[in-house]
Amino acid sequence: MYNSGNVAGNYYATSALGSLPKEIGCRFSMTDIFVAMNLGGSFSSGKLLAVQVAPSGVPEASFTQINYTTVVGDTDLAGAATSFAAAISANAVMSAAGIVATAVGTQIQLRATNSPRLKTVFATSPITASYIDSFCPTLASFVTGNNFLNGMVHFRLDSSGKPDWTVYNGGALALSSLSVTFKGMQINTDYIYRCVIDGQNVSGGVWDTAGNVISTASGSDSRIATWAGASCFFEGGGADLLRYKHAWATLRANQKS
């Protein structure tokens, strides 16, 4: 896996199997975990930037919105990121939750003992805003012999611990039904990630090695049965910040840890 070709900072491996797996999973850890707002477009003063932050373990509907208006003294997007990061770190709710924001170029990266979640990011034109996070495992199943980018069941995990499960056909497509629970993950901690495929249904989640639940997911979609197949896919990235300890595809669930 680590010797496969590097594409835009990602690494991945695929493997043809003897039959359709019941579970695709892995044991992993990360040496850095963050969620971030990334600024783009062109700099202008007097423009509103906003982010909604949900501290880890709090229902997604519970969030704090933090605003910042750019000033001439910010000079450029990196300067605006530095100023906005300082405003986030100084926010009383963020401080109480142990959330610290730092600017890395045009990114405003948020870290805490348990990674928080960004609910919404916003910027006024000509500045743009997007959401990114540190690399987490992405696992998938697809039909052997097909181009996996044109039909696969996609099990992405984000740094806030949320399973972002979709089907994938040239881009992520939402499942017709998906229910998740989650709380943030910590650095340098081993986690077990299980993704179970059962016809047009999927289920699973993330646990620490003591068996404590970090996240759960269950969903259904008619395309799952069509696009799941006897090949699997593992992806990572982020300059080796994501460490796979084991990776597997098995005929029964809960065989590996």
Side-chain angles (χ1 to χ4, degrees), residues 34 96 138 184 206 211:
F34 64 85
T138 296
V206 178

Side-chain angles (χ1 to χ4, degrees), residues 119 124 128 144 195 225 230 246 256:
K119 185 175 176 66
T124 306
T128 63
T144 301
C195 306
H246 303 287
K256 299 288 186 179

